[in-house]
Each structure stands twice: as C-alpha cells, then as structure tokens.
Amino acid sequence: MAHWFHRNPLKATVPLNFDLGRQASTSSARKLCSDIRVARAQLLDLLRDPSHDVVVVKKATEKYISYLEGFITAVEDSKTSPEQPQQQMGEDVGKMTLQDTDHAEAGRSSGESKLRNAVKITWTNSLGGKNIYQYDFIFEKINMLFNIALWLTKHAAKLASSSVEISEDEAKEVHRSLREAAGIFKHIQDNILHKLYETPGDGCDLDQRILSAYEIQCKAEAQEVTLARAIELKHTPSLVAALAIETSKLFASADDALKSLDEKLVMKWRKYFQFKSVFYESYAHCYNGNTLLAKDKGGQAVRSLKEGMALFHKAEDLAKEYAKTKGPGVVAKPQQHPFFLRLGPIVHRILEKTERENGMIYHEKVPEEVPEIESKMKFGLANPVEYEVPSKNPEWTAAVYKGFVVSSTDKKVDDKDDTVKPVKEVPVEQTDKHPGNTTGCTVS
C-alpha cells in the first residue's frame, strides 16, 4: 500500500489534576476526581504512539469521556436552575471573567452540570499559534475528541506507510480509522461546537473551516484506500477513473475550506491538498484514456492520456513546493514516495500504447478539448462513521454529585497564558530502522 499522508501535530494540553479543593466535599467526590485525573493522563499517554491497538485507545477514550460527562451534564435528582445560559460572543478566545462565570452559574440549564465551569482548561492548536483556553468542560471534551480523531488519522498513516504490502484486514482498518476520524470531526461541528459559551477565534482548531478541512481530508484519504483496492483487484478503468476524480474533488474541497485563513498558518497543509487533488486528477485521466480506447475512441483517448501526463508533472511540481513550504506537519518529499513514483510509468506506458494504436488503427484527430470523465458514483465513496457518545460513568451517582459544592467565591479566574509542552510523538514512519527506505518521509 505504502500511502503517504500529511499529518499535523497532536494538540498538547496543560495537565488537569481535578483538584477542586473544598468543592469536592466528600471522599467519594474526591475519589472520582482522582479517577478522572488518572484516566485523562493514561489516554494522553496512549495518543503519543500511533502504533497502539485501536481497541485499547477506544476503551481509554470511552472511559475518560464517560467520566467527563458528569462535569458537563447534571446527575439526576440534583437541583438545577431552569434557564438556558446565553452564548457569550467576544473577540478574545478563552477569556471568561469572574462576573461571566457567575452569570453562567445563575443561568445554568436544568440538564447542565454545576461543575461545567469549575477549572481553566488550556490546549494548543494542531497548526500552531496562540494557545486556546476556556473555563468549560465542553471545551475539554471537544479538544480531547479532536485529538482522538487526529490519533486515528496517524494510526491509519502508520499502517499505510508500511514498507511491506499490508494485509486486507490492515487495509480495512486504515479505511475504518479514517472514516471514524471523519465522524468525530463531523460530530464536533454538528453536535457540540454550538454549546460552547464562547465563540472560538479565527484560525484555531475549533474554527469551522479547519474542522471542515479535517473532515474532508479524512474522507478523501479513505477514498484513496478504496481506489488502491480497486486498482489492485483490477476493476474496470471507468470505475477507477470515477473514483479517482471524486477523490480529486474532495481534496480540492479541503483546500477551498482553508482559502480564507492566514497563509502562514495553513499554506503547507494546502499544498498537500493541492498536490493530492492534481495527482488523483492525473490518475482519473489516465484510466479514462484506457476506457475511451476500449470504446474505439482513439483520438479522445490520446487527449485524455496527454492531460494525465501534464497533470502528473504538475503534481510533481506541487510536491516539490510542499517540501519547501514551512509549516506544521511532516518533513517529506512526496515526489520520492513509492505511491507517487508508481503513477508516472503507468501514464507513460498507456499513452505510448494509445498513440501507437490511434496511429495504426483509428487515425483519429486528437481534440483540443479534454474528454469529460463520467462519474455517477453510487458506491465506493467513503462516508463518516457516526460517533457514539458514551453514557455517563456509573460512578456518577446522585450522592457523589451532591458531594460537590460549588460557589462563586471558589472561582479563581486566570487570564495568563499557560506554558504547554509539545507532545513527544512516536513518528509514523521509523526511517532509522529502514536505511534503504525511499518513502521520502523523515518525521511525522
């Protein structure tokens, strides 16, 4: 398989000790705080390594999120106020004054936990820039799920980058992981983001444009796996061409999602999308040429193959631009990667064959207009796997919840920027173990 995927760094965060002091007034409340602190630390440690078993990571995720739910939604039989809090609109990301938290407490909805704004939570952005923070456990949930989705993409990349041919089961796991990551990004956008008190700032990870780009990227990369499978099983050239053009369109859509953002922040990421879009457009025209030749349309077949070759050279130029562009992500030369190097000879060989047959058999004029690629795909397109929210941990009983006593005098609002250490990630591709590796990737 040996696919290459661009990966942005994992988000880092300030450790949360869940030490609520006098607010945790009973031993059972303090024990729950201790349990969720351990669960968070264990999950973050697992995310450092993309080679971990996906089942292990999912179990750790479910455990932590189930604990977190009690800090977001109230436990039954607890007393809460009837009104829904108003969303705070403001330019400063992550700032909530003491007066704001008092208002949020007074306007808390009947289903909302009294602990929702108990502590300050800080995360970095996967694209760099200023840290983001809020006094909101929904903010914590969104950022942690964001990191889980990033891990799933890195896990997929780890499997796909193997120097040996991966098994069918591993290919399915790559495909599933990418679709699950897309489902998480979609869940954040559709079901959680609007619940934040504060509006995320432009260019941070919770910007709709960035979330959308991640979701589309995951769907596009899942379709790459489908396309590779179709080629391996020697499906019809028309099917391969249709899959390739749809995949190209997805990468172009991901690039479009980032157009209005600061170039310094997203240019390297955009070069990846542009490269992949043009690369798969080249694939599409290559296989469409084969389809046209089989229909005895020699001139159109030649034109399609020539377009495929021109796009292949354009993709090569974009790959070199990607390698030179500064920004977060891998240090790679995709033009040296096997998945890219395989396409050039295929296009060249089919073009020579098509020109030869058109010259000897069909004698058709090569049109100036590029033949359209038919694509009415009803199957093979990758859809996100819907994220299932775990239920609240059974340790959250009404008695435990009542053991937390919250008052405005306990809140200490801190507006200073926290120092966050980057995550020490295990690289996706261990090139030091393969001295002869020609993947073009050095770190992830």
Side-chain angles (χ1 to χ4, degrees):
M1 196 174 192
H3 271 50
W4 169 74
F5 301 125
H6 170 97
R7 292 293 176 258
N8 294 322
L10 284 173
K11 297 165 67 67
T13 179
V14 171
L16 282 182
N17 58 20
F18 291 90
D19 182 7
L20 302 184
R22 294 177 301 172
Q23 296 183 70
S25 64
T26 63
S27 59
S28 57
R30 289 189 290 272
K31 179 183 180 302
L32 192 143
C33 287
S34 175
D35 290 342
I36 190 173
R37 178 178 66 249
V38 172
R40 186 181 197 259
Q42 289 176 340
L43 176 56
L44 289 172
D45 187 57
L46 284 173
L47 297 184
R48 292 178 50 251
D49 189 346
S51 65
H52 280 308
D53 190 321
V54 70
V55 175
V56 173
V57 174
K58 284 182 178 179
K59 285 183 177 179
T61 301
E62 183 176 348
K63 182 179 180 180
Y64 178 64
I65 298 298
S66 72
Y67 273 127
L68 197 60
E69 285 302 316
F71 287 86
I72 296 172
T73 59
V75 179
E76 291 181 4
D77 299 329
S78 58
K79 295 181 179 179
T80 49
S81 300
E83 297 179 7
Q84 179 72 27
Q86 298 295 314
Q87 184 181 34
Q88 177 185 337
M89 306 294 289
E91 296 180 354
D92 294 333
V93 180
K95 288 192 176 182
M96 180 177 279
T97 66
L98 184 57
Q99 185 179 14
D100 293 329
T101 56
D102 288 341
H103 287 169
E105 181 68 29
R108 194 171 303 286
S109 69
S110 59
E112 186 177 313
S113 174
K114 59 190 175 185
L115 299 168
R116 177 173 163 179
N117 314 115
V119 297
K120 177 185 178 183
I121 300 161
T122 301
W123 285 84
T124 61
N125 289 301
S126 60
L127 296 175
K130 190 176 180 180
N131 297 341
I132 50 176
Y133 70 89
Q134 290 190 25
Y135 285 80
D136 192 343
F137 275 109
I138 285 184
F139 177 76
E140 163 71 2
K141 181 179 180 179
I142 291 174
N143 282 280
M144 186 62 82
L145 286 177
F146 192 110
N147 240 17
I148 301 301
L150 282 183
W151 182 87
L152 284 167
T153 69
K154 289 172 183 280
H155 177 68
K158 181 74 173 179
L159 291 175
S161 66
S162 174
S163 58
V164 296
E165 197 63 31
I166 69 174
S167 68
E168 182 178 344
D169 286 343
E170 287 173 323
K172 288 180 178 178
E173 187 171 338
V174 172
H175 190 258
R176 176 80 182 185
S177 294
L178 289 167
R179 290 174 59 224
E180 287 182 347
I184 292 175
F185 287 123
K186 180 175 175 57
H187 177 75
I188 291 171
Q189 294 177 82
D190 295 349
N191 302 312
I192 320 179
L193 198 61
H194 68 278
K195 295 179 181 179
L196 287 171
Y197 289 131
E198 303 173 58
T199 303
D202 289 346
C204 76
D205 280 337
L206 307 192
D207 188 312
Q208 282 279 8
R209 293 166 291 182
I210 290 177
L211 284 165
S212 179
Y214 273 116
E215 181 193 344
I216 299 169
Q217 176 181 355
C218 291
K219 292 191 292 186
E221 290 174 351
Q223 282 186 200
E224 285 188 74
V225 179
T226 303
L227 179 59
R229 181 69 173 166
I231 293 170
E232 180 185 342
L233 296 179
K234 295 182 171 30
H235 280 288
T236 61
S238 60
L239 175 62
V240 173
L243 277 171
I245 199 65
E246 292 300 327
T247 304
S248 171
K249 289 176 182 177
L250 274 178
F251 279 113
S253 294
D255 179 44
D256 286 341
L258 302 176
K259 276 184 177 179
S260 58
L261 289 163
D262 183 358
E263 285 191 358
K264 293 180 181 178
L265 195 67
V266 298
M267 184 48 67
K268 188 175 184 71
W269 200 14
R270 287 191 62 194
K271 288 295 180 184
Y272 167 72
F273 292 144
Q274 292 165 13
F275 162 70
K276 282 289 183 80
S277 179
V278 172
F279 176 78
Y280 283 109
E281 190 179 359
S282 173
Y283 244 117
H285 284 288
C286 171
Y287 279 83
N288 192 47
N290 244 343
T291 301
L292 293 167
L293 187 63
K295 294 179 179 179
D296 299 326
K297 298 179 179 180
Q300 290 186 49
V302 171
R303 182 65 186 90
S304 193
L305 265 299
K306 284 188 173 181
E307 182 70 12
M309 181 59 77
L311 288 166
F312 176 79
H313 291 310
K314 182 179 178 181
E316 187 173 29
D317 291 339
L318 284 167
K320 292 175 182 178
E321 289 177 25
Y322 170 88
K324 294 177 182 177
T325 303
K326 295 181 180 179
V330 295
V331 178
K333 297 178 180 179
Q335 73 275 14
Q336 296 177 7
H337 199 285
F339 96 99
F340 177 79
L341 296 173
R342 279 194 293 265
L343 179 59
I346 293 173
V347 180
H348 183 72
R349 183 178 68 251
I350 299 176
L351 175 59
E352 283 191 334
K353 171 191 171 184
T354 305
E355 287 181 321
R356 185 170 59 249
E357 294 194 15
N358 188 52
M360 295 179 65
I361 301 173
Y362 302 109
H363 307 291
E364 289 186 1
K365 181 180 179 180
V366 178
E368 292 185 9
E369 187 175 345
V370 180
E372 187 177 348
I373 299 170
E374 294 184 10
S375 176
K376 297 179 180 178
M377 296 297 299
K378 295 181 180 179
F379 53 87
L381 302 182
N383 294 315
V385 175
E386 185 177 353
Y387 174 71
E388 296 183 7
V389 182
S391 56
K392 194 182 279 102
N393 193 287
E395 288 188 32
W396 276 108
T397 64
V400 170
Y401 186 71
K402 288 178 181 178
F404 290 95
V405 181
V406 180
S407 66
S408 60
T409 57
D410 292 322
K411 295 187 178 79
K412 295 180 180 179
V413 176
D414 177 10
D415 288 338
K416 74 176 188 300
D417 290 334
D418 295 301
T419 301
V420 187
K421 295 181 180 179
V423 180
K424 293 182 179 179
E425 298 183 50
V426 177
V428 168
E429 295 199 44
Q430 299 279 15
T431 54
D432 56 325
K433 293 185 179 180
H434 304 286
N437 191 348
T438 58
T439 63
C441 297
T442 54
V443 295
S444 172

